[in-house]
């Protein structure tokens, strides 16, 4: 008997910079943990990166960096399909086709679009719920009296993401919280396509459920999560000196004044990082020290920096080796593109048929 086909998993990371500890715990490490059991497809979203107009050299460098970081973190090209989005021209064609079934309004109401569009126009986020109404936002976008513009690629970002997923007929998509709305749109577009043409063609993808609470990796600046745009990142390739310095400068507070005081957010964040990277004994030691007011944040930070380095150092060393081996990098993406293209071409061929694009 045939073994049942493995479920198709797909996820991508935008090529906008080096990967950080948040990417590692939130994505890379999880990708590695499922690559034996699923038909995994991990790609580098360079077309998506174009929505924020990077200069060509840094875009190219970032594609290489993310690829090397995927490999260094343990994604195995013999197990998972690793590819570069723009190596699959079928994605761009299907993006045009799917856009015919996507509404401008629903794209404009997407949270990530509002966010990025405001940034592009140099507008600040609204302070009251009223200012955040869709009408107010549309007036701003359409009527913006400025020489800045919001490119249409930013608007259709969710279409492109839906195509990434649907063209591979992926059913499980590991994404962070900030991408769930895009995944919801993907499901909606799949349903709409199926019902418009009366076909049962696209499966509706869902978020990959890793079980347990989602991993939140905080930044070092006292509040919020670690993120590229927040400028509070510990990068996997930070060298030890840089990384130690960043950790030693992390925001804290004046220290607990009474036994068992509640923790401020900056200090709680340091403990969250410690929990991710240290042993339970180390965590307990510092928790006890906090509880009885004997804690010295400098000691905590020193320990934290060393424990983070124990995670990142092997990755950093591998990244450097991998980046030096162009032939290997090329081989990986050629092999990945071949597999991803075969499936994409098959889906696109059928989509063209279904839509009536069948020549004469
Ligand atoms: N939009 C995702 C992000 O910013 C990246 C991405 C692009 C993606 N296409 C995808 C993720 C398809 C999952 C599936 O992180």
């Amino acid at each position: 008997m045939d073994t049942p086909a493995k479920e198709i998993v797909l996820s991508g990371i935008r090529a906008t910079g080096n990967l950080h500890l948040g990417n590692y715990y939130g994505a890379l490490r999880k990708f590695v943990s499922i690559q034996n059991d699923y038909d995994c497809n991990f790609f580098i979203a360079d077309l998506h990166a174009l929505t924020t107009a990077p200069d060509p050299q840094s875009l190219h460098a970032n594609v290489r960096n993310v690829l090397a970081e995927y490999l260094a973190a343990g994604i195995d090209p013999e197990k998972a399909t690793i590819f570069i989005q723009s190596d699959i021209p079928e994605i761009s064609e299907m993006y045009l086709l799917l856009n015919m079934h996507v509404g401008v309004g629903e794209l404009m109401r997407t949270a990530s679009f509002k966010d990025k569009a405001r940034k592009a126009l140099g507008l600040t986020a609204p302070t009251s719920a009223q200012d955040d109404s869709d009408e107010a936002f549309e007036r701003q976008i359409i009527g913006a009296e400025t020489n800045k513009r919001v490119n249409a690629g930013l608007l259709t970002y969710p279409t492109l993401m839906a195509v990434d997923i649907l063209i591979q007929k992926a059913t499980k998509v590991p994404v962070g919280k900030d991408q769930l709305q895009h995944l919801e749109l993907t499901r909606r577009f799949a349903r709409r396509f199926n019902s418009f043409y009366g076909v049962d063609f696209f499966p509706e993808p869902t978020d990959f459920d890793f079980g347990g609470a989602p991993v939140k990796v905080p930044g070092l600046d006292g509040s919020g999560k670690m993120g590229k745009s927040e400028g509070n990142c510990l990068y996997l390739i930070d060298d030890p000196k840089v990384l130690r310095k960043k950790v030693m400068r992390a925001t804290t507070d004046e220290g607990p004044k009474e036994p068992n005081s509640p923790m401020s957010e900056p200090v709680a964040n340091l403990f969250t990082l410690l929990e991710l990277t240290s042993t339970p004994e180390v965590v307990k030691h510092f928790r006890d020290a906090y509880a009885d007011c004997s804690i010295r944040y400098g000691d905590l930070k020193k320990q934290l920096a060393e424990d983070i380095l124990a995670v990142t150092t092997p990755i950093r060393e591998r990244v450097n080796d991998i980046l030096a081996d162009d032939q290997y990098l090329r081989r990986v993406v050629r092999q990945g593109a071949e597999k991803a293209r075969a499936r994409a071409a098959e889906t696109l061929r059928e989509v063209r048929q279904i839509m009536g694009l069948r020549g004469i």
Side-chain angles (χ1 to χ4, degrees), residues 321-337:
D321 290 345
I322 292 168
L323 280 176
D325 192 349
D326 263 323
Q327 264 192 344
Y328 173 62
L329 290 173
R330 281 205 202 98
R331 189 150 28 89
V332 167
V333 293
R334 203 184 313 121
Q335 178 184 315

Side-chain angles (χ1 to χ4, degrees), residues 10-12 14 43 45 48 157 161 164-165 173 175 179 182:
L10 174 126
S11 194
R14 241 172 333 136
F43 72 100
H48 276 111
Y157 187 110
M161 179 158 160
D164 292 331
I165 298 167
V173 182
V175 285
Q179 298 295 316
H182 293 153

Side-chain angles (χ1 to χ4, degrees), residues 121-182:
L121 294 174
L123 301 167
T124 47
T127 46
S128 73
Q130 207 170 10
D131 288 338
D132 197 24
S133 74
D134 292 323
E135 302 87 87
F137 178 67
E138 281 163 37
R139 270 200 312 279
Q140 286 177 326
I141 296 275
I142 294 169
E145 295 200 4
T146 162
N147 50 8
K148 298 184 182 117
R149 76 193 126 72
V150 177
N151 78 59
L154 211 47
L155 181 67
T156 53
Y157 187 110
T159 313
L160 182 58
M161 179 158 160
V163 169
D164 292 331
I165 298 167
L166 298 177
I167 207 165
Q168 301 294 338
K169 297 209 173 167
T171 52
K172 291 264 179 282
V173 182
V175 285
K177 231 172 108 192
D178 60 329
Q179 298 295 316
L180 287 177
Q181 193 179 21
H182 293 153

Side-chain angles (χ1 to χ4, degrees), residues 17-28:
N18 286 109
L19 302 183
H20 51 74
L21 213 61
N23 298 126
Y24 179 70
Y25 284 104
L28 293 175

